[in-house]
Amino acid sequence: MQVLKSLWIAGCASLMLIACNGDERAPIALEKPITIQATIACPEGCTAVWSEGDQFGLWSRPAYFADNNVPFTLSGNPESGQFHGKVSAAEGEGLHSLRGCYTYQANRGFDPTYLAVQIPAHQSQQGALCQLNRYGFLTARADQVDLSTGNTTLQFSTPCAIIRILLDAAGT
């Protein structure tokens, strides 16, 4: 009985060794510089302009790694909309899912599906156009993104409602 038990243990150990022998090792994460061309989808009657030094947080989910709230910074001409930062990458890892939140805050956390933002209770706008990114926040999402070229695009939009009030001189 003891011999049978020893043979059974040896057989199980052999099967485990064979099964584990074919395991692939996880690739090594390297920092990859990325340029993101950011645009803003504005509703009619609104505008949004990037400013020098603007930043947004980026969450990146490739096959093996997770980057959480990595800052991407506008560099050069604000009209270019080109933000630069780094993501974790590995050779042949595949496509990324990207989530962005403007403006960048260091304490946004690990979960891009839950973002807490405090919007001021009183806001004022000058002129006929609302300024979309002045008081609120913007979000962006892109799935199945190939970052092998080091360039991609993100289109930001506001998740908040926009109220447009028209005033005229007729007293109405």
Side-chain angles (χ1 to χ4, degrees), residues 23-35:
D23 286 351
E24 294 180 23
R25 295 188 186 268
I28 297 171
L30 303 172
E31 284 191 335
K32 180 180 179 79
I34 299 293
T35 299

Side-chain angles (χ1 to χ4, degrees), residues 33-154:
I34 299 293
T35 299
I36 294 179
Q37 180 69 44
T39 60
I40 303 174
C42 292
E44 183 181 335
C46 291
T47 186
V49 179
W50 299 121
S51 300
E52 187 175 339
D54 273 352
Q55 289 186 309
F56 68 82
L58 183 78
W59 287 259
S60 173
R61 301 288 189 266
Y64 297 104
F65 312 108
D67 288 320
N68 297 303
N69 197 27
V70 177
F72 270 67
T73 305
L74 181 74
S75 59
N77 181 1
E79 293 178 11
S80 73
Q82 291 190 346
F83 288 76
H84 299 281
K86 295 179 180 179
V87 296
S88 297
E91 185 76 28
E93 72 184 344
L95 303 175
H96 289 241
S97 294
L98 304 177
R99 305 293 182 267
C101 185
Y102 172 87
T103 61
Y104 174 76
Q105 291 180 4
N107 62 351
R108 287 234 198 256
F110 299 104
D111 187 0
T113 60
Y114 174 78
L115 298 173
V117 176
Q118 185 173 355
I119 299 173
H122 299 284
Q123 300 183 22
S124 61
Q125 299 289 339
Q126 296 178 346
L129 295 175
C130 69
Q131 297 171 353
L132 192 60
N133 59 334
R134 185 170 174 192
Y135 294 110
F137 71 106
L138 304 172
T139 60
R141 175 182 176 158
D143 295 313
Q144 306 293 316
V145 178
D146 181 6
L147 295 180
S148 63
T149 64
N151 296 301
T152 191
T153 60
L154 277 179

Side-chain angles (χ1 to χ4, degrees), residues 1-7:
M1 187 68 162
Q2 187 69 12
V3 173
L4 187 59
K5 185 176 180 182
S6 297
L7 285 174

